[in-house]
Structures are given as C-alpha cells and as structure tokens.
Amino acid sequence: MAPSFTARIQLFLLRALGFLIGLVGRAALALRGPKFASKSPRPVTEPLLLLSGMQLAKLIRQRKVKCIDVVQAYINRIKDVNPMINGIVKYRFEEAMKEAHAVDQKLAEKQKDEATLENKWPFLGVPLTVKEAFQLQGGEGCTLAAACSVIGVGSDIGGSIRMPAFFNGIFGHKPSPGVVPNKGQFPMAVGGQELFQCTGPMCRYAEDLAPMLKVMAGPGIKRLKLDTKVHLKDLKFYWMEHDGGSFLMSKVDQDLILAQKKVVVHLETILGASVQHVKLKKMKYSLQLWITMMSAKGHDGKEPVKFVDLLGDHGKHVNPLWELIKWCLGLSVYTIPSIGLALLEEKLKYNNEKYQKFKAVEESLRKELVEMLGDDGVFLYPSHPTVAPKHHVPLTRPFNFAYTGVFNALGLPVTQCPLGLNVKGLPLGIQVVAGPFNDHLTLAVAQYLEKTFGGWVCPGKF
C-alpha cells in the first residue's frame, strides 16, 4: 500500500523541516553556545562500581559490604564524571547516605535471614537512578554507561528506553504493555498513547533486567513467564537487517548490519539454533503506523495530550513557529527540540480515514509477526539505523526513531542488547523482539548475547 502523492509530499516537507531546524540549531549553538573540549570519563578503579545490582545486593545482604560504602562509591563517581556528561540533574547525596546508613543498621540487627531479605527486598541497598522526562531526555543512558549508576528506570513511548540504551551501550527493556504501571509519570499518556507508553528497566548487566522487571511490575508480573526456563537452542530466530527501504529514514550503517550478521552466524554455527532471514514488507510503514496510532482517541474517547498545551502549562497559548523565530534570536524560553516537536504535532492530528487505513496495516503486520514468533520465537532487528550521532544531529533525522517506535505501535516486548564497539569506539547493538507477554525470551537472549559479545564496555577501555 503505497502512500498517496499528497502524503509523500507532506512527509517529505516534515523531513525537510526537521533538517532545517537542525541546521538552524547547530548554527545558533556554534555562534552562541558554550565550547566543550573532547573528554572521556576516567576508567573505573573502584571494584564496587563493576558489580551488577544483583551481586551488590547479595554482598550487602550477607553483610560482606556496607551499603554506605556502595553509595559513597557511586557518589564519588558522580562527582567525578557528571560535570562532564550532565546525566544527573538532581543530586540527593545527603538523603542517600542517610538511607544507606538505615539499611546497614537494619541488617546489623539480623532480624531477617538472607533468603527472606532476598525475597522481600531483592535490591536492598543498591543505588538507583530514575529517568528525568523533561530536563534531560537521554540522561539515564549515559549515567549508567559512565558507571554513575548500576540500575535505572526509564519510560518508552517510541524508543526512549531503547535508543539511549543503544547509543550508550547498555541494556534496556520495553515490557509487554499493561504489565508495569505508568502511575506517577507526567504527562500521563491518554488516548491512543496509553497502549504505547511502557515503563521498564535500564541497566549495565543483563542479569538485573528480570529481577528489576519483577519489582516494577508488582502483581502484574503474573502475566509474564519470567521463571520459565528458556532453552535457547530450541528457539526459532528470525532477523531483518533494515526496514525495507523507507525514504524517510537513514540507511542502516554497515557496522550495524555486520554486527547483526555476526550474531546470526554465531547462533547458527555455535548454538545450533534455527535462524531465518525474513522480509516483512509492511515494516517500511513503521513511521506512519506510529504517527497514526499515536494520534488516535482512546477507547473512552479521550484525546491524546497535546505537547503544545504542556509548553503553555495548559493556559498560555504557544505559537511554535513564532517561538522558532524567537529562538533563532536567542529570545525564546523553550528548547529547540520542544519547539520542533510542537511543530511536528500538526502532523499528529487525528484523521479517521487515515487512521482506518493504517490501523489495517498495523493489524496485518502484528498478526504476521505474532504468528511467526509464536511462544518460541524471537526477532532480531536494528535498534536504530545509525550508531550514536553527535549532539543535535538527530534534529536533522527526526524520523529514525521509527525503528524502535514500531514495536510500541505493535505492542510487543523488546530488549535492546549491546554488541560491543565499532572501530571508532561507538556502541553497537540490536533489538530482540518476542510475541506478546513472552518477555522471558528476550531477557534470556539478552543474557546469552552479553556472555557471547561482552555486553557493556567499561569507559576508558577503548
């Protein structure tokens, strides 16, 4: 189903607009922005920073390591590295140390045995960071990658867990929708966005993913099969190296295609698994599916949240085109990404005819994938068409997020898995997708890929 000529022109203009915004932004920043020298975080020398959340929790429960020492180690790392990466926007060091001291006191009383502690508080004493949705969108990914945290929480409506995880070489999981509560987020997704938004774990070590998901999901975890043993060699693997050629998105980097093929060869020759190359023709409509589904009303008739209303705090009228002009003159109070998103929002207006057309495509593609995967299959797909871009470059490629966003539209669980670094030291990675509520399959594959390809790479080792 080829898009109409008018639709192609509209989408082309959107891409041109994104490119123009990016050029304006980069030029303005070059003229008036601060200059930063190229730096890399120092290598990690503190052994406590190189342990998974599960390992740290076990040592703390066994009283072999004090919680206060773990927290202090991470505070020291944050003070050393965060001025360079600006990944953490809110410090609470004093409160964290008080909480750590309370944990040590509780453990010293020995009121609970180790098994009870593990069952009731599996991450007792382990430092945690939580993604900040407005001031710094990618902060959780770089914070974890720089060893300033070991586990973190993110939210994903189009790839906001998986893209930062991919760009920074860590793990990120978008659960099956409806399992982990989204309560407490702002703005709360309404309308068609409700089924898209997922809260999930981000971490450096794959073994932390499933335990984190159990904690975050609460009673909802009963819908998943996380305690089911997975025999990887019995799984059916499917792979696709790109979306089929959408003219709106960048071509997939050769580095990423080669990394994916390396995984395929390993699965076939070493693991002895069944691996099949597939061509899902409707994947090239990923962007249109995401945009159309996001603009839909909910089952209760509620309209999606308008970003431009959030900019005006539901009161003041904001004209995004006028704000773009003001921003170029250094007079706007809004950031260039927020202005760009408000301009793009016009494209998200609900249109019933367009919705019905792409809803049929979405249902067909989902049916094809779900039937292909069943309860014993996983799908390997690029996490993004390019490796981590330089700052502001994504503004010139506004639609590349569709490589992750399509699985929000389809409602499938996905784990982003790091696959080492390319020759320039930039992370490689891949998405592992499963059928509905088969998160245990993607998480098991994540652990296997970590053991095989090394997982997270410690800063300073390249």
Side-chain angles (χ1 to χ4, degrees), residues 34 36 39 41 77-91 129-132 134-144 146 148 168 335 391-392:
F36 296 98
K39 296 180 180 179
R77 179 68 177 175
I78 291 168
K79 288 180 176 179
D80 185 38
V81 174
N82 199 55
M84 185 188 309
I85 65 173
N86 193 32
I88 297 177
V89 297
K90 176 66 176 178
Y91 290 161
T129 44
V130 179
K131 171 186 170 182
E132 207 287 332
F134 288 94
Q135 287 181 283
L136 200 66
Q137 284 279 355
E140 190 66 46
C142 65
T143 295
L144 288 159
C148 293
N168 290 280
T335 64
H391 287 300
H392 313 299

Side-chain angles (χ1 to χ4, degrees), residues 294-354:
M294 274 286 286
S295 69
K297 297 179 181 179
H299 296 299
D300 56 3
K302 287 184 178 179
E303 294 278 356
V305 175
K306 290 185 178 180
F307 184 73
V308 72
D309 289 340
L310 293 175
L311 284 182
D313 198 19
H314 298 280
K316 176 186 173 184
H317 174 70
V318 175
N319 183 325
L321 184 59
W322 175 236
E323 291 301 328
L324 176 61
I325 296 171
K326 288 168 61 179
W327 188 90
C328 295
L329 300 173
L331 301 175
S332 177
V333 297
Y334 303 109
T335 64
I336 194 65
S338 63
I339 295 170
L341 182 57
L343 288 167
L344 178 64
E345 192 173 44
E346 286 298 308
K347 182 62 183 175
L348 302 182
K349 284 183 177 178
Y350 181 78
N351 177 293
N352 187 61
E353 181 181 353
K354 180 178 66 176

Side-chain angles (χ1 to χ4, degrees), residues 4 18 35 68 85 162 210 249 251 271 273 287 291 303 308 334 354-355 388 393 395 405 416 437 442 459 461:
S4 67
K35 301 295 189 294
I68 199 165
I85 65 173
R162 290 160 288 153
M249 287 173 266
K251 290 183 178 180
L271 189 61
L287 176 66
I291 288 177
E303 294 278 356
V308 72
Y334 303 109
K354 180 178 66 176
Y355 173 77
V393 169
L395 292 172
Q416 136 62 30
F437 306 107
T442 71
K461 284 195 173 182

Side-chain angles (χ1 to χ4, degrees), residues 254-274:
Q254 195 63 25
D255 281 352
L256 297 172
I257 292 176
L258 291 175
Q260 188 178 28
K261 288 182 177 178
K262 189 181 294 185
V263 171
V264 169
V265 170
H266 178 91
L267 293 172
E268 288 180 325
T269 59
I270 306 300
L271 189 61
S274 168

Side-chain angles (χ1 to χ4, degrees), residues 108-128:
E109 294 168 0
K110 297 185 178 180
Q111 295 180 355
K112 308 284 186 182
D113 59 39
E114 186 181 344
T116 302
L117 289 169
E118 182 178 9
N119 181 61
K120 194 169 184 180
W121 299 291
F123 286 103
L124 181 65
V126 178
L128 166 77

Side-chain angles (χ1 to χ4, degrees), residues 47-65:
L48 290 174
L49 300 179
L50 297 176
L51 298 176
S52 69
M54 293 297 287
Q55 290 173 323
L56 283 172
K58 184 176 182 180
L59 290 173
I60 292 170
R61 284 194 303 268
Q62 293 175 342
R63 288 86 170 176
K64 293 180 179 179
V65 168

